[in-house]
Amino acid sequence: MDKISIIVPCYNEEKALPEFYRRTSEAAADIDGAECEFIFVDDGSSDHTPDILESLSRADVRCRSISFSRNFGKEAAMYAGLQNASGDYCVFMDADLQHPPELLKEMYHVVKTEGYDCCAGLREDRTGENRLRSLLSRIFYKVVTHMCKLDMGDGKGDFRMMNRTMADSVLELKEYNRYMKGIFSFVGFDTKWIPFHNVGRTAGETKWSFGSLFRYAVDGILSFSPAPASMAGATGALLILAALLTGIGTVVFSGALSGIPLLICLILILNGIQMFFLSILGQYISKDYMESKRRPIYIVKKKRGFPEVAER
């Protein structure tokens, strides 16, 4: 019988976990020919999430959990779950039930019988999100797809089931600065997309503020594209051309384009552009610096329900 590892990153999800476990267990029981294990990864929660995971691991032998020593981020939690998954197939799900468990049966059928390495959920809409956030998300995915040359379109998220071959390929990418959507696209493999409608969280509040989403977007672009650094050269060329045209204009029109105000504006603009690109280069250097330290992607505080030989 096949085994499916359901990997669930958790950060302050005490209100959502009981309902998630109930619905997902019901959906898993409906999958013929496969058994499931739950791998919950507690990403340094400050609420009662660890206590709930402790209770689940005692009540259900299929439930296993990992608690981090602090908050390392969702990407690290997904990687930890995949490292500790023993299933023939691995699926990532959010604890807030925005990823419908009812699709698990169809996903398993696709990767088992249709020749695909991965089956992923394609979110058709953004019900439950405000308009500004939806607009910014659509813009981001268009920009990142163009700059990184990878298939990371809007609606193509982390909700996916993959076979062991693809899972092992994802584990081979051990960089500290992780962006899983980009990693999924980078490793390739044949993927079938199943559309589903977005729903609001079943309980609790989103942990993603505009600030954290912006940092996540920047990390995604810098992790998979050198385009921002390359823009410095093109911008420099344009500034040289603009300076030449300004100089010619000053000569032709005498004092029409001269004067202290114009000089101050030019200095401010040029310095601002220079600092902007220095910041971009600094981001690349800082990421390379963090990679060179070879720090662990996460640190485990406690494991529950794992046999000693289960860790991969």
Side-chain angles (χ1 to χ4, degrees):
M1 179 176 286
D2 290 330
K3 186 176 184 180
I4 301 173
S5 296
I6 302 174
I7 301 167
V8 191
C10 305
Y11 180 62
N12 293 341
E13 295 288 1
E14 62 177 1
K15 295 180 180 179
L17 276 172
E19 181 65 11
F20 170 85
Y21 171 72
R22 185 190 68 79
R23 279 186 53 186
T24 308
S25 294
E26 291 177 354
D30 195 37
I31 302 176
D32 296 326
E35 60 180 5
C36 294
E37 69 170 354
F38 293 85
I39 299 180
F40 297 96
V41 185
D42 169 30
D43 187 22
S45 298
S46 58
D47 62 359
H48 292 290
T49 294
D51 299 329
I52 294 175
L53 297 182
E54 182 84 39
S55 299
L56 288 176
S57 65
R58 291 177 178 176
D60 189 343
V61 294
R62 300 175 303 167
C63 292
R64 300 168 179 176
S65 62
I66 304 166
S67 287
F68 288 170
S69 59
R70 64 169 177 83
N71 180 253
F72 283 89
K74 182 181 178 181
E75 310 297 298
M78 294 171 68
Y79 181 73
L82 199 60
Q83 270 194 318
N84 288 273
S86 59
D88 305 289
Y89 303 94
C90 301
V91 56
F92 292 106
M93 298 185 69
D94 288 347
D96 57 15
L97 285 176
Q98 289 189 303
H99 297 160
E102 292 74 20
L103 289 183
L104 290 175
K105 183 176 182 179
E106 183 177 356
M107 285 181 165
Y108 173 69
H109 175 77
V110 168
V111 294
K112 177 68 176 179
T113 66
E114 296 186 14
Y116 289 94
D117 303 291
C118 176
C119 183
L122 178 64
R123 184 169 51 184
E124 291 187 311
D125 52 52
R126 290 186 171 272
T127 303
E129 293 186 3
N130 63 61
R131 293 182 179 180
L132 177 59
R133 182 168 176 169
S134 298
L135 175 62
L136 293 176
S137 295
R138 286 193 293 269
I139 293 174
F140 162 70
Y141 283 111
K142 287 182 180 179
V143 171
V144 75
T145 299
H146 176 73
M147 295 182 69
C148 300
K149 310 301 181 184
L150 294 173
D151 185 16
M152 292 185 284
D154 186 22
K156 296 181 177 180
D158 301 323
F159 181 34
R160 61 186 66 214
M161 182 182 294
M162 64 189 78
N163 59 23
R164 174 48 62 180
T165 301
M166 181 174 175
D168 288 341
S169 297
V170 172
L171 287 174
E172 289 186 21
L173 278 70
K174 302 181 184 298
E175 60 256 40
Y176 181 83
N177 300 285
R178 304 186 68 79
Y179 182 68
M180 291 297 283
K181 293 181 179 67
I183 289 176
F184 292 143
S185 182
F186 176 82
V187 298
F189 293 96
D190 296 325
T191 300
K192 180 175 181 178
W193 297 92
I194 300 178
F196 71 95
H197 292 288
N198 192 55
V199 295
R201 290 177 56 91
T202 184
E205 298 178 354
T206 180
K207 313 307 184 297
W208 293 92
S209 63
F210 279 107
S212 59
L213 285 171
F214 178 76
R215 290 191 295 272
Y216 184 64
V218 171
D219 285 341
I221 293 173
L222 296 181
S223 296
F224 284 91
S225 175
S230 302
M231 289 168 56
T235 304
L238 290 174
L239 290 175
I240 292 173
L241 177 61
L244 290 174
L245 292 176
T246 301
I248 293 172
T250 302
V251 173
V252 172
F253 298 104
S254 299
L257 294 178
S258 62
I260 294 178
L262 175 63
L263 179 62
I264 293 174
C265 288
L266 286 175
I267 291 175
L268 291 175
I269 291 173
L270 293 176
N271 282 343
I273 293 174
Q274 183 182 46
M275 294 302 294
F276 174 74
F277 282 107
L278 280 175
S279 174
I280 290 177
L281 294 175
Q283 288 290 324
Y284 280 108
I285 294 172
S286 66
K287 286 185 175 296
D288 186 62
Y289 173 66
M290 293 303 297
E291 294 289 348
S292 68
K293 285 178 173 289
R294 302 185 66 82
R295 288 176 174 172
I297 297 173
Y298 61 90
I299 298 174
V300 174
K301 180 180 180 180
K302 186 176 183 181
K303 283 187 175 183
R304 308 171 188 87
F306 284 94
E308 292 184 1
V309 296
E311 187 172 353
R312 300 181 65 85

